[in-house]
Amino acid sequence: MPTRLDKSNCTADARTLLVILPGRGMNLRELEREGFVAAARSLGLAVDVMRADAHLGYYRDRSILERLRTDVIAPAQVKGYRSIWLAGISIGGLGALRYAEAHPADVAGILALAPYLGEPEMTQAIVGAGGLMRWKAPAGPLLDGEIAPQAWRSVRSVLLRGEASARPPLYLGYGLSDSLAPSHRVLAQVLPPGRVFTASGGHDWKPWLGLWQRMLAASELPRC
């Protein structure tokens, strides 16, 4: 999996890495052009930012978790990063949540921007069950193509993991007119209010940069 590393502008020896997973059809240059790297620098974060080219093909062949572990996370740990945060846009948010479920010890925090959480029928089922914490997540292997059950099972796993200190903080941002907003509202209900950010707009860059800046500013990422 190709990556691009942008070093912190306030320390040459950052020990925190923020890995950004793009949305469907996005490329690494786009993330820089739309201001996502500059936002971390302008806020004075003592973090290195890595853009990972986790494109749709990795999700389709179900290799996304293996490639993230082998190509991104493990090498970063070898290089001395002590804290690794995952950020994801749309399907990248799904990737971040699934990775945090599979490798909980690797992830210090999650920034999910308009995450794709599967088909709306599952969201409706969760609402009908009385919310995410009342919904019974399916156990055992899931059928190929069952994105929503896996997505929500990953969310529950991250939120309910053992002691509170073992749970990585999860921040959510989304546009109020986003077609995925119904699923985001379900997730928002089980997060602390201070970790939920909304803006006018839909599933596109216009609201995302402002949300990204606010999420970074509110996060527990180290400052210069």
Side-chain angles (χ1 to χ4, degrees):
M1 180 183 293
T3 60
R4 296 290 184 275
L5 181 65
D6 298 283
K7 299 287 289 182
S8 169
N9 62 348
C10 69
T11 175
D13 193 30
R15 286 293 176 258
T16 298
L17 180 67
L18 174 61
V19 178
I20 306 178
L21 308 180
R24 178 176 180 174
M26 295 178 191
N27 58 53
L28 302 189
R29 190 170 297 175
E30 239 180 324
L31 288 169
E32 183 176 22
R33 186 182 69 228
E34 296 296 335
F36 275 60
V37 176
R41 291 178 170 174
S42 66
L43 289 168
L45 298 179
V47 304
D48 292 344
V49 177
M50 178 174 285
R51 292 167 281 152
D53 191 16
H55 57 71
L56 190 60
Y58 295 110
Y59 295 88
R60 284 177 170 162
D61 67 12
R62 298 184 295 280
S63 67
I64 181 65
L65 301 186
E66 178 185 356
R67 294 269 55 89
L68 279 175
R69 183 76 184 91
T70 302
D71 300 340
V72 180
I73 305 300
Q77 292 169 332
V78 170
K79 289 179 180 178
Y81 289 106
R82 294 193 292 263
S83 177
I84 298 176
W85 282 60
L86 294 181
I89 304 171
S90 193
I91 200 169
L94 171 62
L97 289 164
R98 289 198 57 202
Y99 188 90
E101 178 192 24
H103 302 284
D106 290 351
V107 181
I110 303 167
L111 303 171
L113 188 56
Y116 176 66
L117 298 173
E119 300 74 24
E121 291 79 11
M122 181 58 68
T123 300
Q124 294 164 9
I126 292 171
V127 172
L132 183 59
M133 295 312 174
R134 292 176 177 266
W135 172 69
K136 300 298 183 183
L142 298 171
L143 298 175
D144 287 348
E146 286 191 296
I147 297 175
Q150 178 65 72
W152 287 108
R153 191 165 71 178
S154 296
V155 171
R156 275 179 57 92
S157 174
V158 170
L159 295 177
L160 298 177
R161 180 179 303 139
E163 297 295 325
S165 60
R167 302 170 195 162
L170 170 58
Y171 294 82
L172 171 68
Y174 65 95
L176 294 171
S177 301
D178 194 322
S179 61
L180 305 180
S183 65
H184 301 150
R185 286 193 288 269
V186 169
L187 176 53
Q189 289 173 356
V190 295
L191 295 177
R195 293 180 181 170
V196 177
F197 303 86
T198 61
S200 60
H203 199 75
D204 57 40
W205 293 110
K206 188 172 182 180
W208 287 345
L209 179 57
L211 288 167
W212 175 245
Q213 292 168 326
R214 291 163 60 197
M215 292 165 71
L216 289 175
S219 74
E220 299 164 29
L221 287 164
R223 269 55 180 175
C224 297

